[in-house]
Amino acid sequence: MKNLFDDFDPVSSKQWKQKIQFELDGADYNQTLVWNSPEDIQVKPFYHRDEFKGIAAVQTKASEFKICQNIFVQDISKSNVRALDCIRRGAESIRFTIKDETIDIAKLLENLPLQKTVIYFNLTFLSIDFVKKIDAFAKNTNAKIFCNLDPIGQLAKDGNWFVTTEKNNFETLNLLSTATTNISLISINGSLYQNAGANMVQQIAYSLAHANEYFNRSDSYRNKTLNQTIVFEISVGTNYFFEIAKLRALRLLFNLIAKEYNHNLDCHLLVSPTKRNKTIYDYNLNMLRTTTECMSAILGGADAITNLPYDALYHKDNEFGDRMARNQLLILKNESYFDKVNNPADGSYYIETLTNQLAEKALTLFKDIEANGGFLKQLNEGTIKRKIQESADKEQELFDSGKEILLGTNKHLNNKDRMKNDLELFPFVKIKPRKTLITPIIEKRLSEKMEQERLKEEN
């Protein structure tokens, strides 16, 4: 085959820059076209192979990503029927949130096609007996189950550890790791850091340092007798290319750290859109936001994606919202063909460069955390919360000043929009006074204050 571009002379990056500077008609190139991200990464107007450092050594499999459905379990029968209906309508995995230790796992999963459906359990408690029941069920049915236990995430979000009969939560995990062999136990709630306002370097570094605590404190990981996949629950925002690079950098660095423990582990990325940029006014725009966020998740290498319904902030779970969220992913997979190519971001000079830069900065921060006592020590001292709050305050200032835009909220808002009578859920930060070991990390949306003011002014 003849290369159609052989007739054209190659154009160097220097020539491109000279041409751009000529077109700027005297304006400063760096001040006009180069911008600085919250992660202190300078983003250039173009990327060229002359300056390219090489492809990041990360493998992603967009062809294998699963559409996941969230189900909060209250009534076993209704949850089972709902799960079956979601699978019939396109869901490929289910994440059950369970608050009751008396739930019958066999009844909950009855008649589900477990040979082709991945099951995640989001447990709001830590119980050896209950997890053993899940393990026994997985053994009998050969089901693929992730238990998603994260005591450190519980401490970070709630301020307290799980209540157990064992000496501490790590003892419970160590006992479970020897008592269970058919399920994966550990997960990392990295979504908490994103939804609380951490920048991307912090999200990656904190998630990895969080995981490293389990490597250091789990007897089975430390003794190399456990080789289970670790699930990272990660949220993505609308900074499209950066979010793709964030997921790739996270996988790259996790593989690097796992090798230090002589493990051939890969992380399992369970990704969802962020709540931080979602709004109750002009709520249909949430669907546009979640669509690009799900696209970033796929291209960045998510193993499973659970979409956020457009009305999740103010409506209870409902069939229409769930169906719309699921259909967004079905369209991306079956009509937009996002699942046809593995490693889809490979070779993009921009994304590859961002991946390397995010990875380098996150690794530097990770090493700093470890050098200063580790993640849990800094979490207990309040350092992690303080650093996240500093990043969140900077982003909030940009939003309040109109430099960071949420359409329909701080720009092009519809003054006739009314929401007061549609709120089935309280969409703002909830204050729950109680005694805690540490001050918890609080998730907060950018538009909360503005929305509260608009609600007060509604007639």
Side-chain angles (χ1 to χ4, degrees):
M1 294 178 65
K2 182 181 179 182
N3 190 331
L4 298 178
F5 296 100
D6 283 346
D7 293 335
F8 296 91
D9 294 329
V11 181
S12 67
S13 59
K14 182 178 180 180
Q15 289 173 298
W16 273 114
K17 189 171 181 179
Q18 288 174 340
K19 178 63 176 175
I20 292 171
Q21 287 179 319
F22 175 78
E23 297 293 340
L24 285 174
D25 195 25
D28 185 87
Y29 175 87
N30 289 319
Q31 292 184 359
T32 306
L33 298 179
V34 177
W35 58 277
N36 213 44
S37 78
E39 295 76 23
D40 196 29
I41 291 175
Q42 287 194 329
V43 182
K44 301 184 295 185
F46 75 98
Y47 289 78
H48 194 282
R49 67 180 178 182
D50 288 358
E51 303 165 336
F52 186 51
K53 293 183 179 180
I55 294 175
V58 58
Q59 296 294 310
T60 61
K61 296 182 179 179
S63 62
E64 297 180 12
F65 92 88
K66 304 297 183 185
I67 298 171
C68 185
Q69 179 69 53
N70 283 328
I71 296 179
F72 185 88
V73 179
Q74 288 182 313
D75 183 288
I76 296 178
S77 298
K78 289 181 180 178
S79 296
N80 176 262
V81 170
R82 185 179 171 197
L84 287 166
D85 182 62
C86 290
I87 292 170
R88 182 177 61 83
R89 294 184 173 203
E92 298 161 318
S93 59
I94 305 291
R95 178 166 62 177
F96 292 104
T97 296
I98 298 178
K99 288 190 172 184
D100 185 355
E101 295 183 41
T102 65
I103 291 290
D104 188 324
I105 295 299
K107 287 185 178 179
L108 179 63
L109 303 182
E110 188 176 12
N111 297 323
L112 267 63
L114 297 174
Q115 302 309 309
K116 62 178 183 179
T117 306
V118 178
I119 303 296
Y120 304 89
F121 284 114
N122 176 32
L123 305 181
T124 61
F125 53 89
L126 187 58
S127 164
I128 290 179
D129 290 339
F130 190 80
V131 176
K132 279 184 176 180
K133 291 177 184 178
I134 297 174
D135 183 69
F137 179 87
K139 181 179 180 180
N140 293 333
T141 59
N142 200 30
K144 187 173 184 179
I145 296 178
F146 296 95
C147 237
N148 290 12
L149 302 177
D150 185 12
I152 297 174
Q154 164 72 10
L155 175 66
K157 185 172 184 176
D158 185 72
N160 291 313
W161 296 98
F162 287 118
V163 176
T164 62
T165 57
E166 292 73 41
K167 181 174 65 175
N168 57 50
N169 285 186
F170 294 111
E171 182 183 4
T172 307
L173 285 181
N174 285 325
L175 290 171
L176 278 171
S177 67
T178 57
T180 59
T181 57
N182 305 284
I183 57 178
S184 289
L185 294 174
I186 304 297
S187 76
I188 309 299
N189 182 12
S191 291
L192 173 64
Y193 311 129
Q194 202 282 344
N195 283 310
N199 65 44
M200 291 189 198
V201 169
Q202 291 173 325
Q203 292 169 45
I204 298 168
Y206 293 164
S207 296
L208 292 170
H210 185 153
N212 197 50
E213 290 290 344
Y214 290 121
F215 279 131
N216 285 323
R217 295 171 183 271
S218 168
D219 293 339
S220 298
Y221 280 123
R222 195 166 53 247
N223 298 331
K224 304 174 184 64
T225 58
L226 186 65
N227 202 37
Q228 292 181 349
T229 300
I230 294 180
V231 175
F232 282 78
E233 299 185 53
I234 302 295
S235 290
V236 293
T238 48
N239 193 343
Y240 188 70
F241 294 107
F242 267 74
E243 292 292 355
I244 296 171
K246 179 182 84 177
L247 296 180
R248 299 173 83 245
L250 175 62
R251 190 181 294 277
L252 176 69
L253 291 181
F254 176 81
N255 292 339
L256 183 68
I257 293 169
K259 286 180 181 178
E260 293 297 315
Y261 292 89
N262 295 316
H263 280 296
N264 295 318
L265 297 169
D266 192 10
C267 57
H268 183 94
L269 300 185
L270 177 57
V271 183
S272 60
T274 181
K275 291 181 181 177
R276 189 156 171 79
N277 63 3
K278 302 305 180 291
T279 59
I280 61 173
Y281 286 97
D282 221 338
Y283 47 75
N284 285 322
L285 287 171
N286 290 333
M287 274 193 281
L288 300 180
R289 297 175 184 126
T290 55
T291 297
T292 68
E293 288 160 357
C294 288
M295 289 163 66
S296 292
I298 298 169
L299 298 179
D303 294 284
I305 302 172
T306 171
N307 196 9
L308 185 71
Y310 74 98
D311 59 347
L313 297 177
Y314 62 92
H315 273 168
K316 296 177 182 177
D317 285 350
N318 61 89
E319 194 275 336
F320 182 77
D322 284 345
R323 180 164 61 89
M324 293 297 288
R326 192 169 54 248
N327 284 351
Q328 287 174 260
L329 288 167
L330 285 168
I331 289 171
L332 290 175
K333 173 172 274 198
N334 299 322
E335 297 184 28
S336 303
Y337 307 116
F338 267 60
D339 66 335
K340 299 304 179 187
V341 179
N342 285 330
N343 304 308
D346 278 7
S348 164
Y349 301 146
Y350 180 33
I351 296 176
E352 294 283 8
T353 301
L354 289 180
T355 301
N356 288 328
Q357 289 178 313
L358 286 172
E360 288 170 4
K361 287 179 176 292
L363 185 58
T364 299
L365 179 54
F366 171 83
K367 289 179 178 179
D368 180 73
I369 293 169
E370 295 304 307
N372 286 281
F375 182 77
L376 196 52
K377 181 176 184 291
Q378 293 205 1
L379 186 65
N380 284 320
E381 291 174 349
T383 303
I384 301 297
K385 176 177 172 56
R386 176 172 56 81
K387 294 292 187 180
I388 291 175
Q389 192 61 55
E390 289 171 0
S391 294
D393 289 344
K394 289 177 183 178
E395 187 181 19
Q396 189 69 55
E397 185 179 343
L398 291 173
F399 173 80
D400 293 342
S401 65
K403 293 178 181 178
E404 181 163 336
I405 295 170
L406 291 181
L407 290 177
T409 299
N410 67 343
K411 188 162 186 170
H412 303 309
L413 63 159
N414 178 7
N415 291 318
K416 296 180 180 179
D417 208 356
R418 297 289 182 270
M419 287 299 298
K420 185 180 291 186
N421 297 324
D422 291 326
L423 302 182
E424 297 176 355
L425 301 173
F426 185 72
F428 309 113
V429 172
K430 299 177 180 66
I431 305 299
K432 184 182 177 183
R434 65 196 187 284
K435 186 177 181 180
T436 59
L437 295 173
I438 66 170
T439 304
I441 297 171
I442 304 298
E443 298 178 345
K444 185 178 180 181
R445 296 181 297 110
L446 287 168
S447 59
E448 289 199 13
K449 182 179 178 182
M450 189 171 290
E451 289 171 348
Q452 287 173 315
E453 292 172 353
R454 288 184 67 177
L455 285 170
K456 288 179 182 177
E457 295 173 358
E458 283 189 19
N459 297 324

